[in-house]
Amino acid sequence: MSRYRRAQVPGATYFFTVNLLNRRSDLLVRHIDLLRETVRATRSRHPFHIDAWVVLPDHMHCVWTLPDGDADFALRWKVIKFAFARRLPKTEILTATQRSRGERGIWQRRYWEHLIQDERDYRHHVDYVHRNPLKHGLVERVADWPYSSFHRAVGAGIYPVDWCGDEAEGFARDAD
């Protein structure tokens, strides 16, 4: 089995993509209140700052900054994924491997993580997070997607409410 190397820098800022196993599911938005509650509970035990976050039906992107001296984002994702899955009804079909490991068939086992390198990289990834519902054709304007930190950023004066308007110019065609 491959050993994945992850950049672990205490107090750093990271971009993440976390996917459901079933990429045709709408589980994340259908259970958005449970997801929010799970993230709040995790942050109370294992603090981190949410720089940006968007939840789409089958995956989510976020940018987090960890506390000084702490690089354990893996623990936070483990807690979020486990706590969210534990509170959902068991309706998914499991493989023999999933059953033998005591897993749920909800999340992809891995996730994408990227250590933010500088201010330009930070801006690119935060913008990517906020544009993602538009990229996936879920809305015609970024402001129309309700499950995004974009609204908080507008309130803080970081973006105008009509940012990215009705067009997706400037998109990085990153894979989800």
Side-chain angles (χ1 to χ4, degrees), residues 4-5 9 14 30 32 34 43 57-58 60 63 74 77 88-89 93 101 116-118 135 137 145 157 164 172 175:
Y4 291 90
R5 290 187 170 184
V9 178
Y14 297 88
R30 198 168 7 110
I32 192 69
L34 174 59
R43 287 180 69 204
D58 63 341
M60 53 190 166
V63 176
W77 279 119
L88 292 173
I93 298 170
R101 292 179 175 172
I116 300 296
Q117 300 297 310
D118 54 29
K135 173 187 170 195
W145 188 250
C164 211

Side-chain angles (χ1 to χ4, degrees), residues 37-102:
E37 181 182 322
T38 301
V39 170
R40 271 193 297 275
T42 302
R43 287 180 69 204
S44 72
R45 291 189 316 271
H46 309 286
F48 60 93
H49 180 265
I50 297 171
D51 298 79
W53 201 312
V54 67
V55 177
L56 293 104
D58 63 341
H59 70 286
M60 53 190 166
H61 299 288
C62 51
V63 176
W64 294 354
T65 300
L66 297 179
D68 289 339
D70 188 342
D72 200 354
F73 55 80
L75 170 66
R76 289 162 174 87
W77 279 119
K78 181 179 178 180
V79 169
I80 290 169
K81 290 166 89 174
F82 178 80
F84 180 77
R86 183 182 71 219
R87 296 194 43 208
L88 292 173
K90 294 183 180 181
T91 59
E92 69 274 13
I93 298 170
L94 301 177
T95 65
T97 301
Q98 289 168 326
R99 278 194 302 279
S100 72
R101 292 179 175 172

Side-chain angles (χ1 to χ4, degrees), residues 5-17 62-66 70-71 73 111-122 124-125:
R5 290 187 170 184
R6 297 198 182 270
Q8 303 238 327
V9 178
T13 301
Y14 297 88
F15 167 81
F16 300 99
T17 299
C62 51
V63 176
W64 294 354
T65 300
L66 297 179
D70 188 342
F73 55 80
Y111 52 86
W112 171 258
E113 155 268 321
H114 167 76
L115 174 64
I116 300 296
Q117 300 297 310
D118 54 29
E119 189 60 36
R120 183 174 177 271
D121 193 32
Y122 178 85
H124 168 78
H125 283 87

